[in-house]
Amino acid sequence: MPIFNYGIDHLTPGVAIDIAEGRTQGVLNEEATQKILASRQNVLDITEQERIVYGVNTGFGSLCTTIINKADAGKLQENILRSHSVGVGAETPLDVAKLMMILKVHALSKGYSGVALETLERIIWHIEQDFIPYVPQQGSVGASGDLAPLAHLFLPLIGEGKIWKDEQWITTRELFQSENKDSLNLGPKEGLALINGTQFIAAYALKGFVRMSNCLDSADIIGAMSLEALKGSMKPFDSELHQIRPYKGSIYVADRLEKLVTGSEIINSHQNCSRVQDPYSLRCMPQVHGASRNAWLHLKEILTIEINSVTDNPIICSVDKTISGGNFHGQPMAMPIDYASLASAEIGNISDRRVYLMLEGDVEGLPALLMNNTGLNSGFMIPQYTSAALVSENKGLCFPSSADSVPTSLGQEDHVSMGSIGGRKLNTILDNLENILGIELFCAAQGFDFRKPLKSSAILEEVHAHIRQQITFATEDRIFGDDMAIATDIIRNKEIVSVANEAADRHNINLYNHEVFGIY
């Protein structure tokens, strides 16, 4: 199994997912261990010298001027976990909570936080054993660290909170009894270091980033299938057109679309038709899908910096240098998350327009509502209603969370990012987007069949065959909601992307730029 060295190696979103899913092992090597021990000693020396350092021997937030005596240093750190565990709402998905722990270990292992080695080893034990703490979704304002969710996440270190084990929630005490473990005694600064940071924002952003990547790849493939069903033109994907307006996303999408339909008999069958140009939802796929890819690239750049950064407070540089700064503030992540949310919603918006085009019956050989015997049958009319509803819902969710701020901590924390809310909203938008793309996939596969006996490209024929293994051609009305659910699962499980990439590899077609548009 590949090894990732916490605090030393460069973490990418893909590697973080691999650690969470057990394909890579995260460890503390000797170099990281020495940095952790040295930083811990700095905090202990500061405590012994009774130098005033925020959160080490002072209260928190607006209580930063209240001095805490040395004997109560440990109690102070346990109290912060308890007092800040005030989250509400539904539970954070287990995969997100696990990512939070992975990101926190990596940040604390860089040697600027002063936590004990034993504390980090215990968190790693939770990760490796898949003992995931209960974390409510709501309560973070995304600025003074993701305080509430991180407090819940690390309650088990002191023997409190709940743990997911054997498909149920149990108390931490029950876990420790079954695993022969004791709670930890936190020392100076440890509680503050654990709850100060952007790991809730970053974990949600990381999950959304990977999901958005799959949606973008899927949208190109499904869009190409819709293009074939609608007898669209390849001319708008000519590389010369995009080189004179050279956005990375547009160039990449145009190249993919051209390769996805190369060799298609359907394309060749209408090269000399009278239609001058296609509607925007077909011809502008490089520009629209490409713009969303540009947003994704921006999120990739910012997220990669964030998950390799130290985001707690104060930062312990040495015994003589401690800095109370603002690395915990979520604004650098909050704004790109909002940008990615808008970009994801727009992919759904243009997808719905392609569905509508396929239903109109204005293109030769494609019946209205994608069914021959309509009247008695409603055909594919109503799936587009669902698509329209989801598109509209996503528009409402696009209001930027980062545009809001509510002061907290008696004005000490007077500007906050709300990036935690943005991260959750991004994933809600992606839930809707996967359903929208599933509806287009369902419709495009139906339209594709009306082009027989003509064949499409080798890649799209394999994608269509894969869909038809699970969803049959519809000659009359049935419970289309069941078909739509299957189509959405095909997208969520990354099936059409895998099928398309494997087909491209077999035909020596370079469909995917791993270096720029990969998650690693």
Side-chain angles (χ1 to χ4, degrees):
M1 183 181 294
I3 296 295
F4 177 82
N5 296 296
Y6 286 121
I8 304 299
D9 293 344
H10 183 72
L11 186 62
T12 66
V15 170
I17 295 293
D18 286 346
I19 296 171
E21 296 182 354
R23 292 186 294 272
T24 293
Q25 184 179 8
V27 301
L28 294 173
N29 68 7
E30 182 62 26
E31 182 182 357
T33 299
Q34 291 306 313
K35 288 165 63 176
I36 293 162
L37 292 173
S39 181
R40 184 66 190 148
Q41 190 59 51
N42 285 337
V43 170
L44 296 176
D45 289 345
I46 288 168
T47 306
E48 283 299 314
Q49 295 171 17
E50 298 186 352
R51 299 181 57 205
I52 304 302
V53 174
Y54 172 73
V56 176
N57 43 28
T58 75
F60 307 112
S62 62
L63 300 173
C64 61
T65 58
T66 303
I67 307 302
I68 308 299
N69 66 57
K70 186 165 57 175
D72 290 330
K75 181 70 172 175
L76 175 70
Q77 301 306 314
E78 292 188 3
N79 279 350
I80 195 174
L81 289 183
R82 295 188 181 100
S83 67
H84 286 56
S85 294
V86 294
V88 298
E91 65 198 52
T92 296
L94 295 174
D95 57 343
V96 174
K98 191 172 187 179
L99 284 170
M100 289 169 67
M101 290 193 288
I102 291 166
L103 299 183
K104 178 59 82 171
V105 171
H106 187 48
L108 296 181
S109 298
K110 290 182 175 292
Y112 289 91
S113 301
V115 297
L117 180 62
E118 182 185 14
T119 301
L120 287 170
E121 289 173 340
R122 176 60 63 87
I123 300 171
I124 293 171
W125 175 76
H126 276 273
I127 295 167
E128 292 180 341
Q129 299 301 316
D130 227 22
F131 296 147
I132 311 302
Y134 173 79
V135 180
Q137 286 190 14
Q138 295 170 282
S140 171
V141 294
S144 40
D146 289 310
L147 298 176
L150 287 170
H152 283 279
L153 186 71
F154 294 120
L155 274 177
L157 296 178
I158 60 173
E160 301 189 22
K162 294 189 293 186
I163 296 289
W164 184 257
K165 183 190 178 191
D166 299 330
E167 303 302 314
Q168 63 179 329
W169 291 110
I170 62 172
T171 67
T172 300
R173 290 178 185 177
E174 290 172 322
L175 175 72
F176 284 178
Q177 287 172 359
S178 66
E179 299 295 324
N180 195 27
K181 291 285 185 182
D182 294 319
S183 58
L184 301 182
N185 294 314
L186 297 182
K189 194 185 178 295
E190 289 198 274
L192 182 61
L194 290 167
I195 72 165
N196 235 328
T198 59
Q199 284 75 35
F200 182 83
I201 298 173
Y204 265 105
L206 197 157
K207 180 177 182 176
F209 169 81
V210 174
R211 295 177 68 195
M212 186 178 174
S213 174
N214 176 57
C215 285
L216 290 168
D217 289 346
S218 298
D220 293 344
I221 298 163
I222 299 166
M225 289 184 67
S226 297
L227 182 85
E228 290 283 67
L230 289 159
K231 287 190 172 181
S233 172
M234 282 183 64
K235 289 181 181 179
F237 315 137
D238 190 292
S239 62
E240 186 174 357
L241 175 68
H242 298 283
Q243 290 297 335
I244 58 175
R245 195 192 189 199
Y247 290 109
K248 285 183 181 179
S250 299
I251 291 172
Y252 182 59
V253 171
D255 180 65
R256 278 170 59 81
L257 290 168
E258 197 167 45
K259 288 173 177 175
L260 281 165
V261 296
T262 295
S264 166
E265 293 177 0
I266 300 171
I267 291 289
N268 292 334
S269 72
H270 60 87
Q271 283 188 339
N272 299 314
C273 69
S274 60
R275 189 163 48 171
V276 177
Q277 56 187 19
D278 295 325
Y280 289 0
S281 59
L282 295 179
R283 120 169 96 112
C284 297
M285 278 192 282
Q287 290 80 5
V288 178
H289 290 198
S292 292
R293 283 191 178 271
N294 291 336
W296 182 88
L297 284 172
H298 183 55
L299 181 61
K300 179 180 183 179
E301 175 191 1
I302 301 300
L303 179 60
T304 304
I305 293 171
E306 189 73 7
I307 64 177
N308 287 285
S309 298
V310 178
T311 58
D312 63 300
N313 181 64
I315 301 302
I316 311 298
C317 300
S318 67
V319 175
D320 300 317
K321 185 178 182 181
T322 62
I323 305 172
S324 285
N327 276 10
F328 51 71
H329 203 292
Q331 196 77 356
M333 281 299 303
M335 295 175 73
I337 287 170
D338 287 336
Y339 182 18
S341 295
L342 175 61
S344 298
E346 278 301 288
I347 292 296
N349 204 339
I350 195 172
S351 172
D352 173 71
R353 293 299 81 212
R354 290 192 293 265
V355 170
Y356 196 89
L357 281 178
M358 285 185 279
L359 300 181
E360 283 186 315
D362 288 345
V363 177
E364 178 189 357
L366 205 61
L369 305 175
L370 293 173
M371 195 174 284
N372 283 320
N373 186 21
T374 51
L376 175 63
N377 296 292
S378 295
F380 283 57
M381 180 195 305
I382 305 303
Q384 192 268 329
Y385 282 43
T386 301
S387 177
L390 295 172
V391 166
S392 182
E393 184 176 327
N394 275 353
K395 290 174 185 176
L397 289 168
C398 279
F399 181 85
S401 297
S402 59
D404 187 30
S405 178
V406 179
T408 58
S409 193
L410 305 183
Q412 176 76 9
E413 295 154 10
D414 56 356
H415 180 279
V416 298
S417 76
M418 302 300 181
S420 54
I421 299 169
R424 288 168 41 229
K425 275 206 308 176
L426 169 60
N427 281 275
T428 301
I429 288 170
L430 289 166
D431 289 340
N432 292 336
L433 175 57
E434 288 164 348
N435 277 298
I436 295 165
L437 291 173
I439 291 168
E440 186 187 357
L441 179 66
F442 174 48
C443 294
Q446 181 82 358
F448 212 74
D449 279 318
F450 284 106
R451 297 303 167 208
K452 292 179 179 178
L454 295 175
K455 289 187 176 182
S456 182
S457 67
I459 297 173
L460 293 185
E461 286 290 335
E462 289 198 32
V463 170
H464 184 259
H466 182 80
I467 297 162
R468 283 288 172 254
Q469 290 173 7
Q470 301 176 62
I471 304 172
T472 59
F473 179 79
T475 57
E476 60 183 7
D477 286 352
R478 61 195 190 209
I479 302 176
F480 288 139
D482 293 342
D483 297 318
M484 288 157 49
I486 293 170
T488 299
D489 283 342
I490 289 172
I491 291 167
R492 284 188 176 142
N493 297 334
K494 306 179 182 179
E495 292 176 37
I496 63 166
V497 174
S498 295
V499 170
N501 288 343
E502 289 167 8
D505 288 343
R506 281 195 299 275
H507 291 88
N508 297 314
I509 298 171
N510 183 18
L511 189 61
Y512 189 54
N513 186 333
H514 294 269
E515 189 172 327
V516 178
F517 289 96
I519 64 171
Y520 289 91

